[in-house]
């Protein structure tokens, strides 16, 4: 059973999942701090290059299965045109202004 993005607990994470699923790169970037960082399977990546390659240029979509840590940890059935569907874990760090300063993803 999936959790609808509108039902996610953390407002920043809710907005990020909504932006991914709407294929709205500008809305996604607006949710991040200017110096936001990310990692994929434990390796830091160049954020803008990664989001284009793994999300926005390839029809990325997040179906959230579970959430924890106040909505800042998700298990997601993630799919895109490159890799198909895979079960992934996502962890978000949100600053005091409600913007995401770091996210980490990888196989769940």
């Amino acid at each position: 059973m999936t959790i609808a993005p509108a039902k996610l607990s953390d407002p920043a994470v809710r907005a990020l999942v909504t932006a991914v699923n709407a294929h709205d790169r500008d809305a996604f970037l607006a949710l991040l701090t200017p110096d936001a960082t990310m990692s994929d399977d434990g390796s830091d990546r160049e954020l803008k290059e990664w989001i284009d390659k793994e999300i926005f240029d390839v029809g990325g979509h997040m179906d959230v299965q579970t959430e924890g840590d106040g909505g800042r940890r998700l298990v997601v059935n993630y799919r895109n045109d490159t890799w198909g569907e895979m079960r992934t874990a996502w962890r978000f760090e949100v600053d005091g202004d409600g913007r995401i300063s770091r996210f980490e993803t990888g196989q769940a």
Side-chain angles (χ1 to χ4, degrees), residues 48 66 74 96 100:
K48 288 183 181 176
T66 64
L74 306 178
I100 296 168

Side-chain angles (χ1 to χ4, degrees), residues 41-93:
D41 283 329
S43 297
D44 277 8
R45 309 287 183 174
E46 199 290 316
L47 189 143
K48 288 183 181 176
E49 179 182 300
W50 187 91
I51 65 168
D52 288 340
K53 181 180 170 200
E54 299 293 338
I55 300 174
F56 295 106
D57 291 347
V58 292
H61 188 87
M62 302 173 85
D63 288 323
V64 179
Q65 303 300 300
T66 64
E67 70 170 346
D69 190 25
R72 294 186 180 175
R73 288 185 184 268
L74 306 178
V75 173
V76 172
N77 286 343
Y78 183 77
R79 68 181 179 273
N80 67 30
D81 297 339
T82 302
W83 306 110
E85 185 168 310
M86 66 196 91
R87 193 166 180 87
T88 56
W90 296 72
R91 186 177 73 80
F92 300 91
E93 295 175 18

